[in-house]
Amino acid sequence: MEGENVEVLEYDKAYEKYMNIIPTLEKNKGWITEHLVKYQGIWLTPKGGLKGVIMSQQLFKSKPNDIFLATFPKSGTTWFKAIIFSIINRKLFSPNEHPLLNSSPHECVPFLELLYSNKENLNSTLEHLQSPRIFATHSPYPLFSQLLGSNLTTSPTVKIVYVARNPKDVLISTWEFTKKLRHEANLPLISLQEAYDMFCQGLIHFGSYWDHVLGYYKASLMYPKNVLFLSYETMKDDPSFWVRKLADFLDQGFTKEEEGEGLVKKILDLCSFESLSKVGANKSGIQRFTSHVMVPSSYFFRKGVVGDWRKYLTMEMAQHLDEITKCKFESSGLSCFRSS
Ligand code: A3P
């Protein structure tokens, strides 16, 4: 489509910037990859995260009705990709022919950073995205907002849905996820104690966790028409309410007829952990995000519950995490999430 394609020269110039920046960055131990690098105060994996952030910062052209799902990794991105995709595209697919019945939510909604770090598929993916385009991003708000040009007052119709999850389940979900990937990459496993220490120090891809949540929370207060802040736990507690709220926020509220047909429940059933985890593409498919980032789809479906951290963390660990959370969030007015 005219104006959307990224020219080869343009891509190569952006790539050169990425290559020049890498050697200048502070390095530390990583979770998924051996190292993380610090870029504009954020820890990123060098090939997926950093490359994607730098490439998208230079090449992404936002459209007025773009929708972004922003999350810290392991906060329910896969689930919300499915929900938002289903809300937006509900008139296009009949229940029996829905793309989520035979493809992964990650194929339906691309990650912005991974899309832009993959030169081969970039233009063909951009060309096939229906309007309104839906992207997912793990970038913290200060990095993400650079993609929009300036700030949201100049992009009044852009919609950002931010999903936060309680930090104790995020920590455990990340640890379990990275254990599998490290095993496959022949990297030594990280102990839970080490993962916990790194998490508390903010040393984690796209971290720190607390800065990530706070950045979008503050943006949701400043730009309530553009940014909806919700949590994994509140969606678990009252899914029908939040699906309606999401649809209204995205200017796609359910009609009386749709309510009468039970569409909210149908969407929730289609996107439930039980349904999605049984889909063949999610059980045995592989997400080839880039030539460096390939993840078996099943890794995105583990337990899907609130409070699994209780089986892993000692009382001291949990209390310390709660204290950090209280201390970081207190002055913002953000109350802590239900975590059990
Ligand atoms: P657990 O590891 O705690 O089970 P992300 O998609 O951001 O990577 O997050 C993955 C987490 O969301 C995992 O949490 C995963 O099991 C959970 N999840 C995936 N699909 C879900 C769904 N449909 N409903 C609820 N949770 C889901």
Side-chain angles (χ1 to χ4, degrees):
M1 250 172 261
E2 210 182 318
E4 276 194 10
N5 277 5
V6 176
E7 304 292 337
V8 176
L9 262 178
E10 211 185 348
Y11 194 93
D12 290 347
K13 221 172 117 199
Y15 183 72
E16 204 182 313
K17 179 171 176 195
Y18 156 68
M19 291 301 281
N20 289 337
I21 285 176
I22 297 185
T24 67
L25 301 177
E26 183 186 338
K27 259 180 164 183
N28 215 322
K29 187 173 170 155
W31 294 61
I32 300 174
T33 47
E34 205 168 356
H35 294 113
L36 289 175
V37 289
K38 200 174 204 178
Y39 176 68
Q40 298 189 3
I42 317 294
W43 289 110
L44 297 166
T45 56
K47 286 184 179 150
L50 175 70
K51 185 176 173 193
V53 163
I54 293 181
M55 301 305 281
S56 56
Q57 275 182 346
Q58 294 174 89
L59 303 172
F60 180 70
K61 295 176 190 102
S62 172
K63 287 188 172 185
N65 59 351
D66 281 342
I67 296 170
F68 300 92
L69 165 65
T71 51
F72 190 79
K74 301 292 126 201
S75 299
T77 325
T78 314
W79 185 21
F80 280 81
K81 276 186 174 187
I83 291 175
I84 294 173
F85 181 83
S86 306
I87 292 174
I88 295 299
N89 294 303
R90 63 188 189 259
K91 294 199 174 68
L92 294 181
F93 309 112
S94 71
N96 302 334
E97 287 168 6
H98 202 282
L100 287 169
L101 294 174
N102 44 43
S103 45
S104 154
H106 298 293
E107 287 156 51
C108 299
V109 177
F111 278 111
L112 198 65
E113 296 82 21
L114 293 173
L115 180 63
Y116 277 82
S117 50
N118 194 359
K119 185 178 177 182
E120 284 72 41
N121 298 337
L122 175 57
N123 282 331
S124 61
T125 308
L126 284 176
E127 275 162 20
H128 284 102
L129 287 177
Q130 305 268 358
S131 177
R133 306 184 304 177
I134 314 169
F135 297 101
T137 179
H138 285 325
S139 284
Y141 187 71
L143 291 185
F144 171 75
S145 58
Q146 293 173 34
L147 295 181
L148 301 177
S150 53
N151 64 39
L152 286 171
T153 46
T154 56
S155 322
T157 51
V158 163
K159 299 283 183 186
I160 302 164
V161 176
Y162 185 77
V163 181
R165 189 181 190 190
N166 82 78
K168 289 175 282 189
D169 281 331
V170 169
L171 164 62
I172 296 307
S173 186
T174 309
W175 186 58
E176 286 289 0
F177 183 74
T178 51
K179 250 192 339 190
K180 293 176 192 141
L181 295 181
R182 286 183 80 90
H183 178 73
E184 277 172 15
N186 286 323
L187 290 172
L189 296 188
I190 300 179
S191 70
L192 178 56
Q193 181 65 51
E194 205 177 346
Y196 168 82
D197 290 339
M198 288 162 76
F199 190 88
C200 290
Q201 288 161 31
L203 181 58
I204 180 166
H205 36 285
F206 299 102
S208 88
Y209 160 86
W210 293 278
D211 291 343
H212 202 283
V213 175
L214 267 182
Y216 282 95
Y217 180 66
K218 287 180 182 164
S220 76
L221 299 180
M222 278 173 80
Y223 309 108
K225 286 198 177 120
N226 301 95
V227 187
L228 178 70
F229 184 96
L230 72 160
S231 78
Y232 183 96
E233 293 78 20
T234 48
M235 181 58 105
K236 278 271 178 189
D237 287 345
D238 196 350
S240 306
F241 172 84
W242 282 103
V243 163
R244 288 192 183 99
K245 179 108 180 151
L246 254 173
D248 288 341
F249 171 74
L250 298 171
D251 298 326
Q252 301 276 342
F254 292 98
T255 62
K256 275 197 182 132
E257 293 73 44
E258 288 174 328
E259 287 284 0
E261 289 164 19
L263 198 59
V264 172
K265 183 170 180 321
K266 283 182 192 160
I267 288 178
L268 282 169
D269 288 348
L270 176 72
C271 301
S272 70
F273 184 90
E274 291 67 32
S275 307
L276 288 183
S277 57
K278 284 192 195 109
V279 168
N282 296 327
K283 278 205 300 203
S284 50
I286 299 215
Q287 287 314 303
R288 292 174 206 282
F289 291 118
T290 71
S291 53
H292 297 289
V293 187
M294 281 178 240
V295 183
S297 307
S298 61
Y299 290 8
F300 292 98
F301 300 90
R302 195 179 64 93
K303 291 192 181 168
V305 296
V306 178
D308 192 43
W309 61 268
R310 288 184 179 281
K311 300 202 177 88
Y312 295 78
L313 300 179
T314 63
M315 249 329 133
E316 290 72 38
M317 284 170 149
Q319 270 169 7
H320 184 51
L321 270 174
D322 286 345
E323 274 159 28
I324 301 177
T325 306
K326 193 167 168 240
C327 181
K328 296 264 186 191
F329 290 170
E330 210 160 37
S331 63
S332 70
L334 175 58
S335 53
C336 301
F337 323 95
R338 178 172 81 80
S339 59
S340 57

